[in-house]
Structures are given as C-alpha cells and as structure tokens.
Amino acid sequence: MIFKLRRPLFLTLLVASVAPAAWAAPQTPTAQITLTPGVSIWLNAAEAVPVQRAARDLARDFQKVLGTTSPITGDRASLNGRTFIEIIGPGAGDEAKRDAQTAIAGREAHGVFVKRDQNGTRVVLQGADMRGTLYAIYTFSEKFLGVKPLWFWASQPPLPQKSIPLNINTDLRFASPSVHWRTWFPNDTDLFNPWKKRSHDNYDALYEAMLRLKLNCMEGSSSDEGSLKAPYPLERSVEMARDRGLAFVGHHVYPLGADYNLWDKFWRQIEHREPPALSIKNVEELKTFWRWHIDLARRNHLEEIWLIGFRGNGDKPFWTSFQDAPKSDRERAAVIDQMMKTQVELVKTATGEAAPLMRTTLYNEMSDFYAAGLLRPPAEPNLIWTFVAARRDHFPAPDAQNAEPPTNQPIGYYLNFQFTSTGAHLAQAEGLWKMERNFRFINGIAPRPLEFSVVNMGNIREFVLEGSANAAMMWDMQDYNSDKFLLEFCRTYFGDDNAPAVAALYRDFYDSYWQQRRPTLPGFERQYIFQDLRMNRVMQRLMEYLKKPGASTEEIFSDGSLDANNRLFNIVPADNGVASKLDALIKGTGQSIKKLTGVVARADALMARLPTGDRTFFNDNLRMQARFLLATNTTTHNLALAVRDAQGTPERSAHLNAAHTAALQMRTALAEAEHGSFENWYGSDHLFDVKARIEDISKLLPNK
C-alpha cells in the first residue's frame, strides 16, 4: 500500500508485507518489536566521517528520548540474537550488506526497514550512497524518535518515551530527489555569525538542520585569512559542512573560491612578493590566484561545484575593482566571457576531468548582459547555468524569461528569501507560494529537469519555514504543493488540532505586506512587496527629508547610486490610486497596519491555546514577526505623515511622537524572541539597526 507521510513532507512511504522466515513463529500484520533504553547502534568503522557523525547524533537522540545512552559498536558478534539498529552505507562491509535491499538504489536513495532472522532483529537504516545513509539515519530519528527537522531552531526537543515500538513490516523507501543539488546560502549574517561562535552546538545546528531537511550543498566562501597559513585549512564553516557530508559551491563573489579581499595578503604570504594591481591585463597573476584556491579545495578534500564568473570585490561589477576595465557593455561582457573560459580551462587542468562539475551565476550585470544578448556562459556539458531572481523584487528576471539555453544544458536557480539593503531580513516576506511559482517557472524553461537550487537564507532563523518548504519542493517537485506543505508543517510543529488555524494565520501574515506595484507577470501574485529593509531604508530617507526638506518629496524615493529604473522602492502611485509616492506609502502602510493589527490579535489568542511546548516557535516565527512588522509599518507611516504635515505644526509633532513610540515597539517585539540558546540574538543587529532608528527619530522629537 502506498500513502503519503506527514513527515518528512511530501515523500512517499511504501509499507511492504515481509514474509516471515521459516524459523519464526507466524506473525500478524500488527506484530511489533520494541526498542528499549540502551539499544545498540551497529556501524562499521569503515563508513565515512559524515556517517560516523550522524550516528553520534542518533545516539544522542536516543539518549534524549529514552534517557539512556545507546552505544555505537562495530562488533556484530556481541549483538547476535539481539534487537539493534543497523546502519548500512557504502562502507558497511559484506556481512551487513546481506541485509540490504537492492531496490534502494540511485543517488541519495535511502530506506528504513526491519530485518528479522535467526541472528536477531535489525532495524536497518540503509543508504544507496553516503548522503543517502545520512538521510536514512535522520529519517529514522524523525519518524520513530520524534526528533523534528528544526528541533533546535524551533526550541522543540523530542519528548521522552519509555520505549520505541515498531511494526515488524515497517519498510520506508525514498527514491532519488527531483533536483540534484539543493543548497542553502547563509548571507548578510550580522546575527548568525556572532551567535554561532558562542558554542560548537550553535555552529553545528545549521548543518544538522540542512541534513534533516535532506539538503546537500552549502554556498559561501571557502577561504579566509587563516587559509593563507600552514596547514592551509578551509574557512571553518566550510570544513564543518564538509565533515558533515555537505558539498560546497562558491558564491558569485568568489570565483573558484577566491576572495579578492585576500589579494594583497596572498601575494605577500604565499608568493612572497608585493601584490600586483588588479588588472584585466594581468591574466597570469589572476590565474595564479585562482589556481591556488582550486588547489586549496583539492588538498582539503572538498567536494566542490566550481564557481566560474568574473565580478569585482564587494559583490560589485568587475569594473569597480579593475581600473583598466573597458567602458562599454559589449566590451565588458567580452571580458567576462574570456575570464570564464580561462577559469574553465584551469579547472579542467587541475582536476584532470574533461567535464568537471561547474556552475556560473547570472547575477546583476551578468543577468543584464545575458538579457541584452551580449553574454552567454560557455556551453560546457557540466556547467550549470544558474539564473537569479530579479533584484529587490524576487521573480524570474528578463534573462530567465527569454533564456533559450542550449539543448540539455543543466540549469539552476538562485532565489532570495533575504536580500541586502531592501529585502526581507528580520521578518520572512517572500512566502512559500512565490517560491513555488519561481521554481516552477524556471523548471519550465530548462531543457531538462532543474539541476541546482539555492536560496539565500540570511541569518537562517527568520527563514526556516521558507527554507523547509524549498527543501521539500526540491526533493519532490512533482508532488509539492505550498498549501499542503504549510498545513503539514503546522501539524508537525503545532499539532493536528491547531494546524489549520496556524496555517491560515501564516497566509494572512504574508498577505499583510504592502504590494506597492501591481504584478507585471501573469499569475505571479505578490510579485512586488515592501519588505522590512525597504521600510528601514525609506524611514531613513524620510528622516533626512525632515531634517532638510527638498523641493519635492519624490526625491525621497529616488534610486540614487543604489539602483536604476525605479527599482529601489518600485512604488507606482497609479497602482495605489494616488498621485504621489508619498501618498502611496501612507496608504500602503496604513493598509498593512490594519491587516497586521488583526493578525497580531489572532496570534495572541491562538498562542494561549497552544500546548506550552509549541508556543516558543509560534512566537518566534510568526507572532513576534507580525508584531515587529506592525511596529515597523506604524513607524514608517507616521514618519511619512510627518513629512506631509507642515513644519512646526501640532500634527507633525504628534506623528513624530507616534513614530518614536512605534520604533520602541520594534525593539520590544524582537526581544521576545531572545531566550535560551538564542539569548541576545539581536544584539549584533546592524543591517536594520533598530537601535539607530530609535535614536534617529528621538533627535527629531519636538522637545529635542
């Protein structure tokens, strides 16, 4: 019989009847075995380091649930006739592999089943490869020990039990995922980076969650200053991801893992010479720099998807860092094209592979050049062309809308849940449905099934719902549905009885965002929204205007040096039924205030009904974020009204005082999510910088 599992979401569970062996007494379909405290975990010492690490997680999970440590042993003889956990991965050995199911085959396939014979009873956790074995271990932990994928981030440890019952016919099988590479990218981590350094558990929490969600790749930078000193290690987070079994891919700022911030130190410490200038003419020096980073990854046994591309330092176009760069778009595109071809040849030479696994990211200027027909990445058979959602408002950009990639070219997609300067940062915003629409669009233009996905996860904690949804969709794209996923997610973390109400509240939370412009892509709801960093930036613009009023309030909403074509705020007054952008902002934030007031009231009432153990995550991930956004919209709304009011009037004073009160409420809301492992989580906030906004507004108050 085939049916759908609640957890993990949208994966197929096959329950197969297993005929009893001749030695055994007849079994009924409901016969069970029982795992008792201290049950042993068998693991061959030849298994890979990540499998050894996951087995220790399993032993820890048993200790949390049953109250007794489960020993890990490689001695099968000592377990003869007993009931134990058997982990079968590539290094299990011939004797253990006799218990394996041949049907569990293919990339990352895995299963959990019971094997019973005269030698005893084994609960088998089998993977077709190393990562499949990891997923089998965490699947068992979730399904039978009750350890939720986000247990750490949700502050929901597993509940104690006296024993663990299993049906002897248990047979869970998971075929290969829809998307080969499923990636998270921690980015703009002003909160996460200081926090993770407090303890090893904090550092490790990200990788464990990724594996429990069946992700397999992390994006970032593979080197830092420590990499330039013997024994030349990788950046610490990349080493930890590697040892956990995750692959690595460089961010588009770091071609082949190289960071231009290290340029001068590289030449002095590695090449023992003064650094040459960054110049597009100094190709040999660039090749030396890139080649060393390729070798760094290979020496450290890093499973890497090689990032090729050519950008400047600080996530900017190359012509901002290379002073001899050409001036025209056509010439600049030609430079990028030649540099990518050079990098491809370096990787082929270093790896000895005719078609090494590579990826390029069509971000910003590369996206624009592609859309203009000026640039096409090399048509290498294993080069993943990764399209990127439009900047600031995240939907398929013009290059993806008119992609026409070569036949059989592997395609990837990069979507921002978080976005620097004007996107979501302290509160989730893009939503499950927008994520699904993005990836289905890209999968539709790909000449073969989508090969690679990456989502920008910011500081992680704020976006675990959206990240979980993306992981589920990338594993099983055909059956994924955002409404169904959200309901199942709420059942997992808030219980069956409360799930419908919580799911409805999440939907209304997302719908509370001001949509400052009507959709321009058919069927793409919430295409344009006003995220928290957008409000933060417009707050600062409003206060600058209050200090030095300009000729027109339209100056508040100009792109300035940050963007072009009205993309920074993307406000269309006519779409809001008003004549000016200031009036649109006042109207839009007013609408959001009304919606969020209702969401907060319902969240308060619902939280009181939730079981005590579920309230913390509900508050952290939904109620607090709604309260923060209510305060943020109220602050922005009153600052906008103050700009509209005449200088020196009682109305302006009242609105400035109201803005200050609301800004204080932003800080109060955030403080509610600081507890336990996440104490002082917002202490390092500097991208939104709530403290600075409060101080800025206080200086405008009438009595100052």
Side-chain angles (χ1 to χ4, degrees):
M1 178 175 65
I2 297 176
F3 60 94
K4 295 295 180 184
L5 270 178
R6 175 169 301 167
R7 298 179 292 272
L9 305 172
F10 304 107
L11 304 183
T12 300
L13 164 60
L14 177 64
V15 178
S17 296
V18 180
W23 65 271
Q27 301 289 338
T28 66
T30 57
Q32 291 186 332
I33 61 171
T34 301
L35 302 180
T36 56
V39 61
S40 294
I41 300 169
W42 182 85
L43 176 71
N44 195 351
E47 293 285 9
V49 168
V51 177
Q52 305 277 348
R53 182 66 181 83
R56 294 198 296 274
D57 283 347
L58 181 59
R60 176 206 63 197
D61 294 346
F62 267 115
Q63 198 281 329
K64 285 179 177 289
V65 174
L66 296 180
T68 302
T69 300
S70 283
I72 300 173
T73 180
D75 181 6
R76 294 184 70 85
S78 66
L79 301 175
N80 193 44
R82 296 166 56 187
T83 297
F84 62 95
I85 307 298
E86 182 180 43
I87 297 174
I88 301 180
D94 293 340
E95 183 178 359
K97 286 184 177 179
R98 285 197 287 269
D99 284 345
Q101 292 186 359
T102 57
I104 298 175
R107 186 186 71 252
E108 298 179 345
H110 54 286
V112 176
F113 56 93
V114 176
K115 185 80 172 183
R116 204 175 197 190
D117 57 24
Q118 62 272 20
N119 295 318
T121 301
R122 283 88 70 200
V123 179
V124 181
L125 317 183
Q126 180 187 338
D129 51 24
M130 181 268 289
R131 270 190 283 269
T133 309
L134 301 179
Y135 301 152
I137 293 169
Y138 291 119
T139 294
F140 172 82
S141 176
E142 180 184 0
K143 292 297 157 198
F144 299 101
L145 303 186
V147 181
K148 302 172 185 179
L150 299 175
W151 71 269
F152 185 96
W153 300 92
S155 301
Q156 291 186 5
L159 298 176
Q161 301 182 54
K162 293 182 179 180
S163 61
I164 308 295
L166 276 83
N167 190 304
I168 64 166
N169 296 326
T170 295
D171 192 355
L172 319 186
R173 302 182 198 174
F174 303 86
S176 297
S178 300
V179 178
H180 191 155
W181 298 107
R182 307 171 306 283
T183 311
W184 274 7
F185 171 39
N187 186 42
D188 294 320
T189 46
D190 58 331
L191 313 180
F192 178 66
N193 275 352
W195 172 84
K196 72 182 181 182
K197 294 175 183 177
R198 297 181 200 170
S199 73
H200 179 83
D201 286 347
N202 289 1
Y203 237 113
D204 196 53
L206 168 62
Y207 314 116
E208 182 180 334
M210 290 177 68
L211 291 170
R212 288 185 180 275
L213 292 169
K214 303 189 180 182
L215 297 159
N216 63 3
C217 188
M218 188 181 80
E219 179 170 319
S221 171
S222 59
S223 61
D224 59 14
E225 290 187 13
S227 304
L228 301 176
K229 302 173 185 177
Y232 310 107
L234 299 167
E235 192 271 334
R236 182 184 176 189
S237 65
V238 178
E239 283 193 334
M240 293 185 71
R242 175 202 63 192
D243 293 345
R244 273 299 206 158
L246 294 166
F248 173 79
V249 63
H251 182 53
H252 52 254
V253 176
Y254 310 115
L256 305 176
D259 182 351
Y260 293 122
N261 285 312
L262 303 178
W263 178 264
D264 288 356
K265 290 184 178 180
F266 167 80
W267 289 100
R268 292 188 177 111
Q269 295 177 216
I270 302 298
E271 296 297 316
H272 307 292
R273 53 171 282 199
E274 283 302 298
L278 278 175
S279 167
I280 60 172
K281 296 177 182 177
N282 291 342
V283 177
E284 289 306 314
E285 281 83 356
L286 286 168
K287 288 167 67 175
T288 298
F289 188 59
W290 293 334
R291 189 183 296 113
W292 186 87
H293 283 85
I294 296 173
D295 292 341
L296 175 71
R298 288 173 57 77
R299 283 196 306 270
N300 283 279
H301 308 289
L302 182 63
E303 181 185 3
E304 182 160 3
I305 304 171
W306 302 103
L307 189 285
I308 70 164
F310 192 59
R311 305 200 74 226
N313 200 11
D315 205 5
K316 297 177 182 178
F318 78 87
W319 52 87
T320 65
S321 300
F322 291 75
Q323 298 305 310
D324 59 345
K327 302 299 183 183
S328 74
D329 285 352
R330 185 172 298 278
E331 291 174 304
R332 288 169 171 175
V335 170
I336 295 172
D337 175 73
Q338 186 55 52
M339 293 297 184
M340 287 197 294
K341 290 175 179 175
T342 298
Q343 292 166 0
V344 167
E345 292 308 311
L346 286 175
V347 175
K348 288 182 177 181
T349 300
T351 62
E353 299 173 14
L357 180 60
M358 300 173 289
R359 168 215 177 190
T360 191
T361 307
L362 295 165
Y363 178 69
N364 204 39
E365 69 279 5
M366 290 180 67
S367 171
D368 293 341
F369 291 162
Y370 189 109
L374 300 176
L375 179 68
R376 289 293 182 273
E380 294 285 330
N382 269 0
L383 174 60
I384 303 167
W385 291 15
T386 305
F387 293 94
V388 181
R391 285 142 285 178
R392 307 195 189 281
D393 295 287
H394 309 303
F395 54 87
D399 60 338
Q401 293 177 37
N402 303 283
E404 298 183 354
T407 302
N408 210 37
Q409 191 70 41
I411 298 298
Y413 193 54
Y414 176 122
L415 177 68
N416 293 83
F417 290 140
Q418 184 270 359
F419 186 79
T420 306
S421 77
T422 57
H425 189 67
L426 298 181
Q428 57 202 328
E430 301 306 322
L432 288 60
W433 306 269
K434 193 171 180 180
M435 179 277 296
E436 180 180 359
R437 185 74 178 88
N438 268 275
F439 278 95
R440 292 209 184 281
F441 184 100
I442 298 299
N443 195 49
I445 60 102
R448 69 189 212 192
L450 191 69
E451 183 77 9
F452 176 93
S453 76
V454 58
V455 288
N456 182 326
M457 288 289 292
N459 286 297
I460 309 300
R461 190 180 177 209
E462 289 71 24
F463 304 100
V464 290
L465 165 60
E466 295 171 339
S468 297
N470 177 258
M473 183 178 181
M474 296 306 101
W475 187 277
D476 189 355
M477 186 172 283
Q478 180 176 346
D479 285 351
Y480 174 85
N481 173 277
S482 289
D483 288 326
K484 292 180 180 178
F485 173 88
L486 181 59
L487 185 60
E488 293 297 327
F489 182 91
C490 292
R491 285 175 175 162
T492 299
Y493 292 97
F494 309 113
D496 290 348
D497 292 343
N498 294 301
V502 179
L505 195 59
Y506 267 117
R507 186 64 195 247
D508 289 345
F509 166 83
Y510 281 114
D511 286 342
S512 72
Y513 277 91
W514 174 34
Q515 299 178 51
Q516 75 277 21
R517 182 178 181 179
R518 290 174 184 164
T520 53
L521 282 178
F524 219 102
E525 64 175 23
R526 301 181 71 254
Q527 183 179 349
Y528 300 97
I529 57 176
F530 221 72
Q531 306 97 329
D532 65 283
L533 284 185
R534 235 174 193 154
M535 279 189 284
N536 183 47
R537 188 165 292 279
V538 83
M539 280 184 209
Q540 296 175 68
R541 293 280 189 89
L542 291 165
M543 286 187 281
E544 290 170 6
Y545 188 91
L546 286 166
K547 293 175 186 175
K548 297 180 180 179
S552 168
T553 58
E554 293 298 296
E555 296 176 6
I556 295 169
F557 305 97
S558 67
D559 289 316
S561 61
L562 292 172
D563 217 316
N565 303 318
N566 190 40
R567 196 164 53 192
L568 188 66
F569 296 111
N570 237 327
I571 298 172
V572 178
D575 288 353
N576 291 270
V578 296
S580 73
K581 292 178 181 177
L582 180 64
D583 285 339
L585 179 65
I586 292 169
K587 182 177 180 180
T589 52
Q591 292 170 342
S592 289
I593 289 167
K594 182 177 180 180
K595 292 177 181 178
L596 284 163
T597 298
V599 170
V600 168
R602 287 162 56 201
D604 289 344
L606 183 53
M607 185 167 167
R609 301 200 305 268
L610 291 175
T612 302
D614 297 344
R615 292 176 185 173
T616 299
F617 186 46
F618 176 80
N619 187 64
D620 291 354
N621 196 250
L622 180 51
R623 177 179 173 271
M624 181 282 290
Q625 291 193 21
R627 293 184 65 228
F628 171 75
L629 285 177
L630 176 57
T632 305
N633 275 276
T634 304
T635 304
T636 306
H637 184 75
N638 279 284
L639 287 173
L641 288 172
V643 166
R644 191 180 66 180
D645 295 331
Q647 190 171 359
T649 61
E651 290 81 7
R652 174 173 284 191
S653 297
H655 288 134
L656 288 174
N657 279 310
H660 186 254
T661 299
L664 292 172
Q665 291 168 349
M666 289 194 295
R667 183 172 62 188
T668 300
L670 295 176
E672 282 200 16
E674 295 183 308
H675 52 77
S677 298
F678 301 104
E679 190 66 38
N680 199 35
W681 172 259
Y682 298 102
S684 54
D685 161 43
H686 70 262
L687 289 179
F688 192 107
D689 205 344
V690 171
K691 181 180 178 181
R693 297 296 81 75
I694 294 171
E695 293 174 352
D696 292 343
I697 297 170
S698 68
K699 294 175 183 177
L700 296 172
L701 296 179
N703 59 346
K704 294 293 182 180

